[in-house]
Amino acid sequence: MRPVLGIESSCDELAAAVVRGREILASVVHGQGDVHAPYGGVVPELASRDHARWVSQVVEAALDEAGVAPGELEGVAVTAGPGLVGSLLVGLCFAKAFAARFALPLVGVHHVAGHLASAELADPELAPPYVGLVVSGGHTALYRIEADAPPALLGETRDDAVGEAFDKVAKLLGLPYPGGPALARAAEAGNEAAIAFPRPMRAGLDFSYSGLKTAVALEVERRRGPGGALAPGDLADVAASFQAAATDALVTKARRALENEGLGRLAVVGGVAANQRLRARVAAAAREDGFRAVFPPLALCTDNAAMIAAAGARRLARGERDDAALGAFARAPVGA
Ligand code: KG4
Ligand code: ZN
């Protein structure tokens, strides 16, 4: 089995990885925290410019670390979408040129298919069928995963993604970008039972986070001191109570999906799968209900190219190929 090169540039991380089967030979991630921190969020134009500056060095670093020459590769897998089109185009153009230069097959990968592939990459015993819960800055969705079919959507958010809610609430609390990890850290000192925020529950398997976000904003306004700032104890309580409400909704819907589908395995993937409270609550639910829960290690939860290489390797193994006409897309369902 020959290794696959993966390239990911859909948002504010430029990543390259070399993966052979389930073995990650190298995985390099070049983040852009410093570029966007002054603006409190990702600035698309700055993201694509920084990607263009780094892409060849990051790919070279991954190949060097893996000790793999381009000619030894099975093919090149690159994120085609969804994401910021300018950012995607940098990875896509590089991948096309690289594939052409070394006469390698090229495949485009859906970013969410990449996140879903991270679970099987991390856990050799995880085999379909299972339920995949994707929780990231752009996605909050449940899928039924089968061996020979595209992921089947069971439910998704009607408005904000859960990671986006973490980021927005963090900004509201004046926490530094990127907000999700900062909010989780702030929550450690708080009491999650301090404020009974509404659990964003819709019927069925869909999610909604805009109501929770509004409830947090109102609570923050209510607690602001004369200078406009929150007392540290209040900030920690708001953070912990928000985190509890946001993650409880995920656990409830994941349990419901497993029950509806009659399945006993759950994979939780995407940036928010790094959240320790979510991990603990899913693990507790797994013990109670008797299902198996798989979380990739932290480095495979947030955006990386190993997951793109793993998802691309499957397309290559099925004989699928893309050509130089492969375009970037801002949005599209994962099975499309
Ligand atoms: O998968 P990812 O790296 O990029 C997207 O595809 O969106 O996910 C990034 C999201 C961000 O919203 C970030 O705030 C959130 O994951 N995140 C977390 C944690 N670590 C990252 N949210 C909550 N707790 C964390 N520990
Ligand atoms: Zn992602």
Side-chain angles (χ1 to χ4, degrees):
M1 188 185 299
R2 283 144 66 98
V4 173
L5 171 68
I7 300 174
E8 151 68 40
S9 68
S10 64
C11 189
D12 59 340
E13 263 112 18
L14 195 290
V18 182
V19 172
R20 182 172 49 214
R22 295 202 187 229
E23 193 187 355
I24 301 171
L25 303 179
S27 179
V28 179
V29 180
H30 173 74
Q32 299 183 339
D34 297 347
V35 174
H36 305 291
Y39 307 95
V42 177
V43 183
E45 177 63 21
L46 296 181
S48 50
R49 281 193 227 170
D50 197 70
H51 286 335
R53 195 169 300 137
W54 285 94
V55 64
S56 57
Q57 289 168 75
V58 170
V59 170
E60 200 176 317
L63 289 167
D64 276 358
E65 200 182 308
V68 169
E72 296 171 64
L73 292 167
E74 177 75 40
V76 183
V78 61
T79 308
L84 302 170
V85 170
S87 288
L88 289 162
L89 284 173
V90 175
L92 213 53
C93 290
F94 187 91
K96 285 181 195 174
F98 188 94
R101 164 72 179 81
F102 296 103
L104 295 167
L106 172 78
V107 283
V109 170
H110 192 291
H111 185 78
V112 170
H115 274 301
L116 287 165
S118 70
E120 287 182 50
L121 186 60
D123 185 339
E125 276 161 35
L126 178 66
Y130 58 87
V131 170
L133 171 62
V134 182
V135 282
S136 74
H139 303 272
T140 304
L142 284 157
Y143 295 93
R144 182 184 173 103
I145 310 297
E146 293 284 356
D148 295 314
L153 184 69
L154 302 174
E156 66 183 331
T157 184
R158 298 290 184 89
D159 39 60
D160 291 352
V162 60
E164 189 181 355
F166 267 86
D167 294 336
K168 286 179 177 169
V169 168
K171 200 165 179 180
L172 199 72
L173 294 175
L175 296 169
Y177 165 88
L183 190 134
R185 263 194 311 279
E188 282 169 20
N191 169 14
E192 67 169 51
I195 308 150
F197 285 128
R199 269 48 184 162
M201 295 301 167
R202 296 184 66 104
L205 294 173
D206 283 345
F207 303 88
S208 167
Y209 280 98
S210 65
L212 173 60
K213 193 182 62 193
T214 306
V216 175
L218 291 172
E219 187 65 30
V220 168
E221 279 316 310
R222 220 173 56 73
R223 289 182 182 229
R224 274 194 208 286
L230 284 182
D234 277 350
L235 190 150
D237 283 350
V238 171
S241 302
F242 160 77
Q243 177 177 253
T247 51
D248 277 352
L250 299 173
V251 178
T252 304
K253 297 296 169 96
R255 277 176 134 159
R256 192 175 295 165
L258 286 162
E259 195 185 318
N260 289 359
E261 296 297 310
L263 293 174
R265 287 184 293 266
L266 172 72
V268 188
V269 301
V272 182
N275 185 273
Q276 294 302 333
R277 188 200 189 263
L278 176 62
R279 287 180 172 240
R281 290 305 165 109
V282 169
R287 280 192 298 275
E288 224 171 86
D289 297 0
F291 64 85
R292 198 163 117 71
V294 173
F295 284 89
L298 299 190
L300 285 181
C301 287
T302 45
D303 286 348
N304 65 88
M307 68 185 196
I308 302 302
R314 288 188 205 173
R315 290 203 58 203
L316 288 165
R318 289 197 294 264
E320 297 172 15
R321 302 285 182 269
D322 287 309
D323 58 24
L326 176 65
F329 55 88
R331 292 196 167 274
V334 66

